[in-house]
Amino acid sequence: MRIDILTLFPEMFEGPLSESIIKQAREKGLLDVRLTNIRDFATDKHRTADDYQYGGGSGMVMKPEPIFEALEHVRRASGGAHEAGVGDTGLADGGEATILLSPRGTLLDHALASELARKSRLVLICGHYKGVDERVASTVTHEVSIGDYVLTGGEFAAMVMIDAVVRFVPGVLGDIESAETDSFFGGILGPPSYTRPESFRGMDVPDVLVSGHHEMIRRWRRKQALKATLDRRPELLERASLTDEDLELLREIEEEANTI
Ligand code: 6GU
């Protein structure tokens, strides 16, 4: 997957994209990230990227021309990795998405992250200041927000989105980190997990996890995942696809709650 990031602050990305799983994905050739400074496409001598807003009001708005120019530049310059199919994976549908990160966008969730992971190319536009001239929104395929709060700019949101998306690209996660026991896999929260020591400050690892009984462990984990979802995010259960076993486990959870 190729990801182009259009931003006024390319240096903000250097640390986060050079560590851990993302670093490894880049080294394995699964991910090709390019940073483009929108300011390089400003045409006046002060390299102005923002301006006062029509209608008045506080806060500067990012100008459309440098963003359109930067977009056209990365689209033209897309030869190489993307076109040659380098880093393409079995899952990629060859599509592209151009995404404006904005608090006015659709909320990013598990489903959107996995949908975007099937693209072979993402172009992310990070807004800053008070916002981005609305004409930029007319040229993008998606407008995405990462939550109901306002950030100083789209850069952190872009990093969150990249992290969430890249985890779904085949080959990025090893078996050990496999996505199957993640929260939101199957639409519910994940089960609790434990590591050594078995007993710590009077708190013990549940017996079933040290029993070596794989089927009992699987069922216990599923039940704990359902219970956590019921307690913390009950609205997720309404949309989740539940099996007969899940319904049986939920009945057990309900009975246990009633007997306490
Ligand atoms: Cl994508 N940008 C900004 N500036 N604030 C946000 C956001 C994005 N998502 C949530 N808040």
Side-chain angles (χ1 to χ4, degrees):
M1 166 180 279
R2 171 164 167 166
I3 303 181
D4 282 278
I5 305 168
L6 277 50
T7 170
L8 288 171
F9 302 98
E11 288 172 10
M12 285 178 74
F13 291 86
E14 277 167 20
L17 297 182
S18 306
E19 299 283 349
S20 188
I21 307 273
I22 303 219
K23 174 190 180 174
Q24 289 163 29
R26 295 173 74 182
E27 287 171 356
K28 286 189 224 165
L30 296 170
L31 180 63
D32 176 13
V33 188
R34 315 273 178 107
L35 287 152
T36 298
N37 192 335
I38 293 168
R39 198 175 295 285
D40 291 343
F41 296 87
T43 48
D44 64 314
K45 71 171 194 272
H46 303 293
R47 304 215 300 154
T48 312
D50 61 317
D51 205 341
Y52 297 101
Q53 52 179 317
Y54 278 111
S58 65
M60 304 295 269
V61 170
M62 284 173 70
K63 290 166 63 59
E65 311 95 304
I67 298 177
F68 274 76
E69 293 289 336
L71 263 177
E72 283 153 15
H73 173 81
V74 299
R75 284 179 179 146
R76 269 199 306 274
S78 68
H82 164 62
E83 252 102 34
V86 175
D88 273 2
T89 62
L91 205 71
D93 67 7
E96 285 197 28
T98 304
I99 302 162
L100 175 63
L101 281 309
S102 146
R104 301 181 66 218
T106 330
L107 282 180
L108 178 65
D109 63 7
H110 182 85
L112 180 56
S114 80
E115 176 195 321
L116 293 173
R118 285 190 288 272
K119 306 291 179 194
S120 56
R121 183 173 197 199
L122 304 179
V123 180
L124 310 184
I125 305 169
C126 302
H128 229 260
Y129 308 112
K130 196 77 184 169
V132 172
D133 187 286
E134 188 61 19
R135 288 164 289 191
V136 171
S138 71
T139 187
V140 303
T141 57
H142 299 71
E143 199 169 335
V144 174
S145 162
I146 63 159
D148 291 336
Y149 41 80
V150 178
L151 303 170
T152 54
E155 282 75 14
F156 287 114
M159 291 183 236
V160 166
M161 206 185 89
I162 291 168
D163 198 89
V165 167
V166 163
R167 296 179 77 260
F168 287 106
V169 172
V172 167
L173 294 187
D175 283 347
I176 293 172
E177 305 106 346
S178 107
E180 268 171 51
T181 51
D182 280 349
S183 281
F184 303 109
F185 183 83
I188 68 170
L189 301 182
S193 40
Y194 294 85
T195 184
R196 288 188 284 186
E198 198 175 321
S199 184
F200 174 69
R201 300 195 178 188
M203 297 175 283
D204 295 341
V205 173
D207 288 337
V208 58
L209 295 180
V210 291
S211 69
H213 195 304
H214 298 299
E215 174 55 19
M216 271 169 58
I217 292 171
R218 185 198 60 75
R219 195 176 156 91
W220 182 88
R221 285 190 169 139
R222 188 71 192 170
K223 185 170 173 180
Q224 295 303 313
L226 289 162
K227 184 166 167 16
T229 310
L230 187 64
D231 290 345
R232 302 168 184 206
R233 299 290 306 279
E235 79 283 6
L236 293 178
L237 280 180
E238 276 151 41
R239 281 180 283 139
S241 43
L242 301 176
T243 62
D244 288 345
E245 181 189 48
D246 291 336
L247 298 174
E248 185 186 319
L249 292 169
L250 282 165
R251 273 194 299 275
E252 284 181 27
I253 292 165
E254 202 182 328
E255 275 163 30
E256 284 160 17
N258 291 336
T259 56
I260 295 167

